[in-house]
Amino acid sequence: MSQTRPLDGIRVLDFGAFVAGPYCGTILAALGADVVKVESPRGGDPFRRGEGAKNAYFNQMNAGKKSLAVDLKRPEGIALIKALLPGFDVLIENTRPGKMAALGLGPDVARAINPDLVYSSVSGFGDGGPWRDRAAYDTIGLSMSGFLSIMSDKDNTRLAGTCIGDLTTALVSVIGIVTGLVGRFKGTGQGGSEVKTSLLEAMTTITVDAMTQYFETAETPHRESRHPAAQSFALKTSDGQAITLHMSSSPKFFKGMLSAIERTDLLEDPRFATYDDRRAHYFELRPVVEAAFLKHDRDEWERRLIANDVPYAPVVTPDELTEHEQMQWLDMYEPPRDDGLRLLRAPMRFDGARPANHVGAPEVGQNSREVALEVLPEAEVEALIEAGVIAQAPAA
């Protein structure tokens, strides 16, 4: 079956570096867009970390793109970008506010050249306000957004185990870009659009439930404050494995759990009679459930929980994830490459098919000549290469 790629024909100039901008671009590439990564001839995106296209993290965030290595500090480099702009639908950048304008490639200039351009900007804290010019990386955004506080024990702040802020910002950017493209194609009369978000804004999509809890109770949420409302548990089993439950407010799931742990007598306990009672007495219920789960191994608990229709999942570790039967059915990962790296596929399917992601990240300047030739004669392109304005990677 042919691959369904809804963004076939869409072209993207990606000025992103590190994670938030580049991952947005690679999602668009997985969905069919022709994404050209614009980077410095001097080592390219700093996220390459001196390893070219071999760096595993760079590969995941830049798979499926082309690379145009151009010196944006030279007027000839800016002129090349301006010449390319009419042939592109989207521009992505995640520099500090004002940097693109200082280069002569701000949204006003770019959209004057191409009124249909969707210009996507990502910053740390927004393009105004007292924090406008501060440096921001993932941990800074997680801290500033309230996320670290919410995910930590009270009075014991812990760091996150992955760059959820940058990745969330990339996803929010994708939503904004696709919305801008839909608006353009519907002929709303606005042509392109300028789409802005920031690490701080994007994280509101992750903290919205906790903030709602705060608005409801006026109490500051922390790692355990949601567990009573969710009726969720993280439980060790007799073989040292772990299982989570999440029963929410449905009485049938609570009854099923009591049947599984052979404690139906608790149905008569007034502390647990209703959802509100169970929420109020959660920390009295939890040790009872924890003690029960230590009596059997994980396989036995999975059998019992399935039989009683209790919402549960084993705690799956990253080394188990790629081989898990459900993930294999979803076909989320490309087969391992010769260097051992596995690329993630797009997290959605179209007409039942998931777009493949066979192509890794490019070397710095791998496609410079090809892209420049779209708008310049060959002699001029070769002169720019000779002058070091653009860099063309050697043939593989």
Side-chain angles (χ1 to χ4, degrees):
M1 182 168 59
S2 61
Q3 287 293 323
T4 302
R5 291 182 177 267
L7 296 186
D8 276 342
I10 297 297
R11 302 197 73 201
V12 179
L13 270 179
D14 178 2
F15 290 82
F18 291 99
V19 178
Y23 188 52
C24 169
T26 212
I27 292 174
L28 298 176
L31 299 180
D34 176 19
V35 180
V36 176
K37 182 177 182 68
V38 180
E39 52 188 334
S40 169
R42 295 173 291 277
D45 184 340
F47 211 51
R48 290 180 181 271
R49 296 170 174 170
E51 298 181 89
K54 296 179 181 178
N55 184 273
Y57 301 97
F58 179 83
N59 245 288
Q60 290 287 359
M61 304 306 166
N62 292 277
K65 300 179 185 178
K66 299 174 182 176
S67 172
L68 168 62
V70 54
D71 190 346
L72 298 180
K73 295 181 179 180
R74 297 175 66 171
E76 302 96 326
I78 298 298
L80 173 59
I81 297 298
K82 289 180 176 179
L84 288 168
L85 279 173
F88 283 80
D89 303 280
V90 178
L91 184 150
I92 296 170
E93 63 94 5
N94 65 323
T95 61
R96 291 200 200 190
K99 183 173 181 179
M100 292 294 286
L103 290 171
L105 295 173
D108 292 344
V109 171
R111 294 181 63 214
I113 295 170
N114 180 357
D116 289 330
L117 187 70
V118 176
Y119 193 109
S120 173
S121 294
V122 170
S123 60
F125 306 105
D127 60 338
W131 283 57
R132 173 187 184 270
D133 296 318
R134 297 196 185 193
Y137 285 96
D138 178 78
T139 299
I140 308 306
L142 297 186
S143 182
M144 183 67 177
S145 68
F147 179 80
L148 290 186
S149 174
I150 293 163
M151 296 300 290
S152 296
D153 292 324
K154 193 173 183 180
D155 302 322
N156 183 26
T157 302
R158 310 292 290 177
L159 295 175
T162 190
C163 57
I164 191 170
D166 283 339
L167 299 175
T168 299
T169 304
L171 293 171
V172 170
S173 298
V174 170
I175 293 170
I177 289 167
V178 172
T179 302
L181 290 171
V182 169
R184 191 185 80 179
F185 292 145
K186 286 184 68 177
T188 58
Q190 297 179 345
S193 53
E194 183 181 358
V195 183
K196 297 179 181 178
T197 193
S198 65
L199 181 54
L200 189 55
E201 290 169 89
M203 281 303 296
T204 64
T205 66
I206 302 299
T207 61
V208 60
D209 180 75
M211 291 305 299
T212 302
Q213 180 184 335
Y214 168 70
F215 296 147
E216 177 192 25
T217 67
E219 296 178 359
T220 302
H222 53 83
R223 185 181 66 84
E224 289 202 308
S225 60
R226 180 173 178 266
H227 302 167
Q231 290 290 287
S232 56
F233 302 86
L235 304 160
K236 291 183 179 179
T237 57
S238 64
D239 56 346
Q241 300 296 310
I243 280 180
T244 59
L245 309 182
H246 186 137
M247 295 176 292
S248 191
S249 58
S250 175
K252 76 169 187 175
F253 294 139
F254 177 65
K255 292 176 182 178
M257 188 266 290
L258 293 184
S259 294
I261 68 173
E262 299 177 343
R263 287 299 308 270
T264 54
D265 59 295
L266 294 178
L267 290 171
E268 308 302 321
D269 192 318
R271 295 175 298 172
F272 313 129
T274 68
Y275 167 72
D276 287 337
D277 294 327
R278 294 191 291 277
R279 181 175 179 175
H281 296 280
Y282 169 87
F283 290 103
E284 297 165 58
L285 176 63
R286 188 168 73 179
V288 175
V289 181
E290 289 174 339
F293 268 74
L294 288 171
K295 295 179 180 179
H296 303 290
D297 63 20
R298 191 167 80 175
D299 288 345
E300 173 63 12
W301 283 118
E302 292 201 44
R303 184 189 67 77
R304 291 185 178 212
L305 294 168
I306 291 171
N308 287 279
D309 192 30
V310 181
Y312 89 95
V315 176
V316 179
T317 57
D319 58 300
E320 298 173 309
L321 193 59
T322 56
E323 304 307 316
H324 192 278
E325 59 186 0
Q326 190 63 26
M327 292 297 282
Q328 288 190 340
W329 184 88
L330 289 169
D331 201 20
M332 287 299 306
Y333 301 96
E334 291 290 339
R337 305 188 323 189
D338 291 342
D339 59 5
L341 180 65
R342 298 190 73 172
L343 295 176
L344 191 67
R345 290 176 175 167
M348 67 283 288
R349 288 167 282 161
F350 298 90
D351 300 323
R354 186 180 309 284
N357 191 11
H358 302 310
V359 183
E363 295 290 354
V364 180
Q366 182 172 318
N367 311 97
S368 294
R369 181 180 282 106
E370 167 194 345
V371 175
L373 284 171
E374 294 178 16
V375 293
L376 298 175
E378 185 173 2
E380 190 169 338
V381 171
E382 296 305 323
L384 290 175
I385 294 174
E386 181 68 24
V389 175
I390 61 176
Q392 172 64 44

